[in-house]
Amino acid sequence: MNTKALWIVGAVLSASLSGATALASLPAQVDGEPLPSLAPLIDRVSPAVVNIHSRTRVQVQMSPFAEDPFFRRFFDFPSIPRERIQQSLGSGVIVDLDKGTILTNNHVINNAEDIAITLQDGRELNGKLIGADPDTDLAVIEVDPEALMASERIAALDLAATGALRVGDFVVAIGNPFGLGQTVTSGIVSALGRSGLRGLEYQNFIQTDASINPGNSGGALINLAGDLVGINTAIFTPSGGNVGIGFAVPVSTAQAVVEQLLAFGQVRRGSLGVDVQNVDDNLASALGLDPAAGVIVRRLDPEGSLAQAGVEVGDVILTIDGRDTRRQQDLRNIEGMLPVDQTATVEVWRGGEGLLVRAEIKENLDERISGRRLDARLDGLMLVRVPDRARMRGVVIEQVRRDTLAWESGLRPGDVIVAINRRAVKDLGDFRSRFPLDANDLVLEIRRRGSAYRVPLKHQSGR
């Protein structure tokens, strides 16, 4: 807001507080100048923000007694449904009219059976999930583009230029808080590069004091030019409501994720094969660096990208493709967004001088892989390694798409595959090595909430 606009606001406030005019309504103009308003901006961009309503079937966990037929008959125990319908409300942003592409949060549509998209004009469209990325909490939905563009007012948001956002910039949040319907709030960018939220692997959040509440998730954070700068995702709150600390995924991250989800249905992530630690003041002084200038290499995978490029233990990584790596999380964020099968320029500090190396980014299939890449019967599964803290062997099923053989056979998110065709599985690398299978039969042994199950998966012709 320019100086003149601020003077106008100040003049209006002074006038409204002076005795005789204290109860008067605000004038439309001051000295012939119209009052500043966000209304023209909102009128232009709000049709690009949609409401999302999803339904998910959730398994009801019952006690062994409740499932025992004798117990139920003897005590006249009432019938208990094994599933319940869980509904979720959220928001989304139209980013491509021609293709009917809508961007939202993964947690808004996670495992949803039905996705309904409500446009600003009240029309409701069916949404189809194209792909989701739990590590950044982003998802892409597709609707019929012809139905989407039936109204002339429907719009798509342009993406803001990467790196253009600064702390102190004015921003506007648009979404569907508490299911009330489209709501607009405004504020400023409070901070950039925030991390530390639970459950997300890659964190580089925009922090804003624009009011964000439950239901705003997946909605738009825009600048005063009407460009999308972030996807509203989370809040920090001791009470469940807004306290002025909201977080949005920056558009640079969202754009990279959307491109991969549209191209592959998943995010293919590379690995640099490195373990690092932050550079504190003492280390920086000993190395002749400015404090927090980079991260120091403490371990390298001999077969990893950086080791193959000539990086050594003890080197300090300063930048990757021109982006600063001041903290471990910075490197993690950059690593997660690097295009697979391309090269990155890495600036390192060694022995008092800077060096540039080129590292080829290789996909880390021992961290995460789509089941379809291994066997058609595993289509719809996203498989990830078991977390170190779990202290067990096997492979975790992170996602299961509903319209697949895997879902119909009974596989669910959170299941741990511990054996294939009676042969124990150590980890994701071991699991991958079993394919292609020599045997026609594919039987998975899984663990679910302490119980063991065997799940046979037949070829499509045998369904």
Side-chain angles (χ1 to χ4, degrees):
M1 191 178 294
N2 60 36
T3 304
K4 189 169 186 178
L6 290 171
W7 178 87
I8 292 172
V9 174
V12 171
L13 291 176
S14 297
S16 66
L17 294 174
S18 61
T21 60
L23 299 179
S25 60
L26 293 178
Q29 296 182 342
V30 173
D31 291 340
E33 293 285 344
L35 289 178
S37 172
L38 294 174
L41 169 68
I42 302 306
D43 186 60
R44 175 165 58 89
V45 302
S46 58
V49 182
V50 302
N51 297 344
I52 297 178
H53 174 234
S54 63
R55 296 192 315 148
T56 306
R57 293 183 184 273
V58 179
Q59 297 290 322
V60 177
Q61 187 174 359
M62 296 185 291
S63 71
F65 295 107
E67 294 181 310
D68 186 278
F70 174 78
F71 177 88
R72 295 171 62 83
R73 187 166 56 250
F74 186 81
F75 290 99
D76 193 24
F77 207 75
S79 177
I80 299 177
R82 292 178 178 269
E83 291 184 329
R84 62 182 175 86
I85 300 297
Q86 178 175 295
Q87 301 191 36
S88 176
L89 294 173
S91 309
V93 181
I94 301 172
V95 293
D96 191 325
L97 277 177
D98 293 334
K99 297 180 179 178
T101 306
I102 295 173
L103 180 59
T104 186
N105 282 140
N106 174 64
H107 74 260
V108 171
I109 52 77
N110 189 32
N111 295 319
E113 185 171 350
D114 300 305
I115 302 174
I117 308 296
T118 304
L119 307 179
Q120 191 195 42
D121 60 15
R123 289 182 296 134
E124 187 172 292
L125 305 178
N126 292 325
K128 175 185 177 183
L129 178 64
I130 298 301
D133 181 40
D135 287 338
T136 56
D137 196 19
L138 293 173
V140 171
I141 300 169
E142 187 179 86
V143 297
D144 180 3
E146 292 186 5
L148 186 64
M149 293 187 288
S151 169
E152 294 182 357
R153 278 187 51 79
I154 295 300
L157 287 185
D158 294 326
L159 306 185
T162 300
L165 198 64
R166 299 183 302 169
V167 174
D169 284 351
F170 287 101
V171 287
V172 176
I174 310 176
N176 179 30
F178 301 108
L180 292 173
Q182 193 172 95
T183 301
V184 178
T185 59
S186 66
I188 65 168
V189 175
S190 306
L192 296 170
R194 289 296 198 212
S195 61
L197 276 68
R198 296 179 181 177
L200 294 177
E201 191 72 20
Y202 303 100
Q203 304 190 22
N204 183 31
F205 289 108
I206 301 165
Q207 181 183 327
T208 179
D209 65 349
S211 293
I212 296 174
N213 287 291
N216 273 108
S217 294
L221 189 70
I222 64 170
N223 59 23
L224 295 190
D227 296 330
L228 183 70
V229 298
I231 298 296
N232 300 322
T233 297
I235 58 175
F236 176 83
T237 173
S239 61
N242 173 66
V243 294
I245 303 178
F247 301 97
V249 177
V251 71
S252 57
T253 299
Q255 186 173 18
V257 169
V258 168
E259 289 174 356
Q260 293 217 45
L261 291 179
L262 290 176
F264 309 112
Q266 67 175 101
V267 176
R268 299 168 58 204
R269 288 196 163 90
S271 172
L272 293 170
V274 65
D275 187 16
V276 299
Q277 70 181 64
N278 294 334
V279 176
D280 58 22
D281 292 344
N282 292 332
L283 270 174
S285 177
L287 295 168
L289 287 168
D290 292 333
V295 289
I296 190 167
V297 176
R298 63 182 181 186
R299 187 189 64 82
L300 284 165
D301 177 357
E303 302 299 321
S305 300
L306 289 185
Q308 296 294 314
V311 174
E312 301 174 359
V313 172
D315 287 350
V316 177
I317 299 175
L318 302 176
T319 66
I320 300 175
D321 278 347
R323 289 173 283 180
D324 292 335
T325 54
R326 296 181 178 276
R327 304 167 299 162
Q328 291 172 297
Q329 187 65 50
D330 292 337
L331 185 139
R332 184 70 174 148
N333 292 337
I334 296 170
E335 183 181 40
M337 293 296 109
L338 289 173
V340 172
D341 298 330
Q342 296 188 26
T343 57
T345 301
V346 182
E347 182 184 4
V348 301
W349 182 265
R350 178 191 302 165
E353 62 180 30
L355 302 171
L356 290 178
V357 300
R358 300 280 289 172
E360 182 181 357
I361 308 305
K362 302 174 182 177
E363 188 174 8
N364 188 354
L365 299 178
D366 291 339
E367 289 281 339
R368 170 181 279 105
I369 190 172
S370 166
R372 182 171 180 80
R373 297 176 68 171
L374 301 176
D375 191 290
R377 290 166 289 184
L378 301 178
D379 182 30
L381 294 181
M382 184 59 68
L383 307 168
V384 299
R385 70 179 182 88
V386 176
D388 294 336
R389 64 179 180 275
R391 296 183 180 180
M392 67 179 299
R393 292 187 171 189
V395 175
V396 177
I397 298 178
E398 183 180 61
Q399 298 177 54
V400 188
R401 204 171 69 241
R402 287 181 175 268
D403 58 340
T404 60
L405 171 64
W407 179 273
E408 293 178 5
S409 300
L411 295 175
R412 296 295 182 265
D415 291 347
V416 179
I417 302 172
V418 295
I420 303 176
N421 293 352
R422 298 183 181 275
R423 290 178 57 197
V425 172
K426 294 189 298 183
D427 53 29
L428 188 51
D430 181 33
F431 186 85
R432 290 196 304 112
S433 70
R434 308 291 178 85
F435 296 90
L437 280 177
D438 293 331
N440 289 327
D441 293 334
L442 173 56
V443 180
L444 303 180
E445 183 177 326
I446 66 169
R447 295 285 188 273
R448 179 187 299 166
R449 294 195 295 269
S451 299
Y453 302 89
R454 296 181 73 242
V455 180
L457 295 172
K458 301 293 185 182
H459 282 291
Q460 298 291 335
S461 59
R463 289 179 63 176

